[in-house]
Every structure is written in structure tokens, then in C-alpha cells.
């Protein structure tokens, strides 16, 4: 493994185009390399990991450059974990105006979140109510048993998320895991849900290839 | 509740701009209204629900117009459920080239999906492997216990998804629930996961407001 490299080698190693890396450097997303000559900087493994982190946030999380900068700054500033989670959540989640929600949808979500101790402006609570409202508008509605299963599954995953964070050694690496785990975890869950649906569908209704 | 309306009333009822509704009609996303006069058509509750369905697919699922047409056609054609799930999955999920994945990431996912009977080209399996690979590249890696919890949660949710679909009366409404449930369910889970993380963080580390 190469541990000291020129910018062209950093590009080869990560698959990120040279122009992209220069853009990351200009925007402060990537720390400057070490000057080895007046016009030559070298980069290390930390730069490689940071580039993959930026790409995870932009490609999977769909974050803008401004939001990515905000999240990266939060990681670098070694915030307490509760703040790191808050920043990750508020950046990665869509902001929902409480005024746009009907009280029925909020009541439905609150009945599922009973005992969780959520704040009224908890971004997850508002986003969940928005989904429930939209599901109703399509004419079908999300029944209480379906919602309760999602809540149960979310609790299971959230505990695993926090265990993963706790397993990291230092604060910066914990904060980074919060952010990466939140963004990549959503994509992971969606993927595994598809596989589980496919598996359950075949079990319940038979294999379409043989049907 | 108004059950017969002019296009302007349909716009008011759904919040969709007139130009958007005309666009949906032109693209075949929305069935034509009933002609009440040579130049005047009326619309009903089915049109209201359909507009909300289209918006759920485009706003939450991020589907293109072409993909939305494909999914709506699948619903209207009253396909067997296994096919409806396949179309919903392949349209809503990102396509991952198996060649872009390393075998380590696939092995890790396969160890979690052990016994699910997934096909090698199962879109969920490939998408999950892509996430695992990207997680590793950020330098942290997704540990086996974390992945196993996601898989367990995904199974729970997939069973609830299928139960919800089975509770619908007719085939068209089942197929519509597959599609809406897949798209809105991802957003719902992400929202509830945020709330559950917030609740667990406060329980483990205390309230940041009091810290």
C-alpha cells in the first residue's frame, strides 16, 4: 500500500478525477497536502479515506457541497456525539415544515413513537408524519400494524448504529461513523429490504420464473 | 367531498399546478377525464389519488417521468404480484454493475443473506454490496453485527410490507401498494431511524440540552 503520494497518484488510488480533488482542496473539504517542494505537495492515507467519505456523502446521501462542508467541519471539530448526531441528522434529513402537516398524520406517528421521548420538532417525527400524510393521499393509507413494524425495525437498527459508534476508538472516528453510518445505512437498509421482499415474495407466492 | 370536478378544481384539490396536470395527461400518467362538453372534461376521486401517487413516486422516490410511466403502466396492467414487485424494485432501486463490486463486499453481504435464497443478480444484494464496499473505503468498515441487525430489521419490515399488500382487495390496489409502500417505506424508515437514534442517544449519553 502506498502511504505517501502525489496528487496524480491520489487520483489513481481513489478514482476521483484530478479536477475533483483540486475542487475538494479549494472548498476546504480535503486538508492541504504536505509541501515536499515549493510547487509539490504529497498526500497520505488520510486523504484517501477523506475522499471516499466525501463521495459517500455526495453520491449516497445526495448532499450538496455546502452541506458536505458543514458535516466535514462537524467531524473535524470533535464535537460531543449528541451534537454530531444532530448535525448529521439535520443535514442528511429533509427539513419538513410542521405547518405543512395535518394533525391526523402527526397523531398516527406519535402513537407509534409512544415512549420514545421525541421532541415535538424532532426531524424524524416530522419526516415520518409527512410520509404518512402522503401515503393517505394516494388513497391507501399506512395501517397501524405496518407502521409499528417499521418503528420496531428502526429501534433495532438505531441500537446497532450506536453500538457501532461506541466501538470506535477516538471522538473524530466516532463522529465520522455517525455521519457515514447514517448516510450509507439508509442505502443499506433500502437494499436489504428489497432482498427480503424478494425472498418473502417467493416464499409466499412462488417463484415467478417457474410460474 | 367533491367527486366530480373540472381540471381547475382538480388542481386546487391536489395542489398540483394546472400545467403539471396537463403534462401528466399528455404523458399518459393520468387517464383522460370524461367529456362533459366538446371542450370540457370532468375528473373524479381516482384522478386525485393518481396525482398523489405520481407525486409520491417523483418527490419521494426521485423517479424520472419515464420511470414513473413504467411503474404506472405496471400497476394498470394488473400484473401478478411477483412481477409488480420486480418492476417496482428495478425501477426504484439503483442499478449496480456486478463488475464494479469486489468479492469481499459480496461475500460479506452473502454471509448476512445466508438462507434468503437470493439470486446472484438480486438488485438488493448488489446494492448492499456496493454500500459495504463504500463503507470500507471510508476507512471504517461495517462490522458483521451491525450488518446482521440491518438484515434482521429488513426481514421484519419486508414481512409487514407483504402483509400490507395482502390486506388490499383487488390486484390493482395490491400492485399500487407495492409501489407506494416501497418508495414511501424507504423514506418512512429513514425518518423513524433518525427518531430512534435521537431517543437512544439521549438514553445513553444524556440530553444535549442539559449537558
Amino acid at each position: 500500500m502506498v502511504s505517501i503520494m502525489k496528487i496524480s497518484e491520489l487520483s489513481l488510488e481513489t478514482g476521483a478525477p484530478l479536477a475533483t480533488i483540486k475542487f475538494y482542496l479549494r472548498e476546504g473539504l480535503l486538508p492541504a497536502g504536505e509541501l515536499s517542494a515549493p510547487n509539490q505537495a504529497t498526500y497520505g492515507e488520510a486523504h484517501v479515506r477523506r475522499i471516499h467519505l466525501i463521495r459517500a456523502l455526495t453520491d449516497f446521501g445526495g448532499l450538496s457541497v455546502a452541506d458536505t462542508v458543514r458535516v466535514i467541519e462537524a467531524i473535524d471539530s470533535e464535537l460531543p456525539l449528541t451534537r454530531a448526531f444532530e448535525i448529521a441528522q439535520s443535514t442528511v434529513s429533509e427539513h419538513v415544515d410542521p405547518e405543512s402537516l395535518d394533525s391526523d398524520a402527526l397523531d398516527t406517528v406519535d402513537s407509534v413513537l409512544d415512549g420514545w421521548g421525541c421532541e415535538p420538532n424532532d426531524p424524524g417525527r416530522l419526516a415520518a408524519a409527512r410520509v404518512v400524510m402522503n401515503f393517505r393521499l394516494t388513497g391507501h393509507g399506512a395501517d397501524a400494524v405496518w407502521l409499528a413494524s417499521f418503528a420496531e425495525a428502526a429501534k433495532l437498527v438505531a441500537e446497532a448504529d450506536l453500538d457501532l459508534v461506541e466501538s470506535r476508538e477516538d471522538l473524530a472516528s466516532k463522529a465520522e461513523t455517525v455521519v457515514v453510518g447514517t448516510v450509507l445505512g439508509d442505502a443499506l437498509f433500502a437494499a436489504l429490504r428489497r432482498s427480503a421482499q424478494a425472498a418473502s415474495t417467493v416464499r409466499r407466492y412462488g417463484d415467478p420464473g417457474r410460474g
Side-chain angles (χ1 to χ4, degrees), chain A:
Chain A
M1 190 177 282
V2 185
S3 54
I4 304 280
M5 58 199 111
K6 288 186 283 190
I7 195 166
S8 55
E9 292 164 325
L10 184 62
S11 169
L12 275 175
E13 175 75 18
T14 57
L18 211 54
T20 304
I21 295 178
K22 288 181 178 171
F23 173 74
Y24 292 164
L25 286 165
R26 269 201 312 277
E27 295 290 328
L29 287 166
L30 195 63
E34 203 161 315
L35 280 185
S36 56
N39 252 323
Q40 174 109 38
T42 57
Y43 302 87
E45 287 306 321
H47 291 92
V48 172
R49 290 196 303 270
R50 176 57 59 96
I51 288 172
H52 288 302
L53 170 66
I54 297 167
R55 304 216 105 181
L57 294 175
T58 52
D59 293 2
F60 284 93
L63 261 62
S64 66
V65 172
D67 281 342
T68 307
V69 170
R70 194 165 161 250
V71 168
I72 298 269
E73 277 175 357
I75 291 171
D76 289 344
S77 64
E78 306 223 338
L79 290 170
L81 278 185
T82 38
R83 278 295 296 148
F85 263 112
E86 274 179 9
I87 290 175
Q89 290 197 359
S90 70
T91 310
V92 170
S93 316
E94 210 178 339
H95 297 271
V96 176
D97 177 7
E99 298 293 317
S100 69
L101 301 168
D102 62 42
S103 59
D104 262 12
L106 281 167
D107 287 348
T108 302
V109 169
D110 285 341
S111 70
V112 164
L113 301 186
D114 188 35
W116 292 27
C118 286
E119 302 288 331
N121 279 325
D122 178 80
R125 173 181 179 258
L126 301 179
R130 181 161 171 255
V131 172
V132 167
M133 203 175 84
N134 275 277
F135 208 149
R136 287 223 177 108
L137 288 172
T138 65
H140 295 290
D143 74 15
V145 181
W146 187 70
L147 283 168
S149 298
F150 272 67
E152 199 54 42
K155 277 204 283 192
L156 191 67
V157 158
E159 289 298 323
D161 286 333
L162 267 74
D163 287 343
L164 184 69
V165 170
E166 280 191 4
S167 73
R168 304 308 188 204
E169 300 261 317
D170 57 299
L171 199 53
S173 147
K174 281 180 203 282
E176 206 169 303
T177 299
V178 167
V179 171
V180 182
T182 298
V183 170
L184 291 186
D186 284 349
L188 177 69
F189 185 82
L192 293 176
R193 182 181 172 219
R194 306 280 185 281
S195 294
Q197 283 178 345
S200 299
T201 307
V202 169
R203 209 178 55 244
R204 291 194 194 192
Y205 308 109
D207 187 338
R210 296 181 211 156

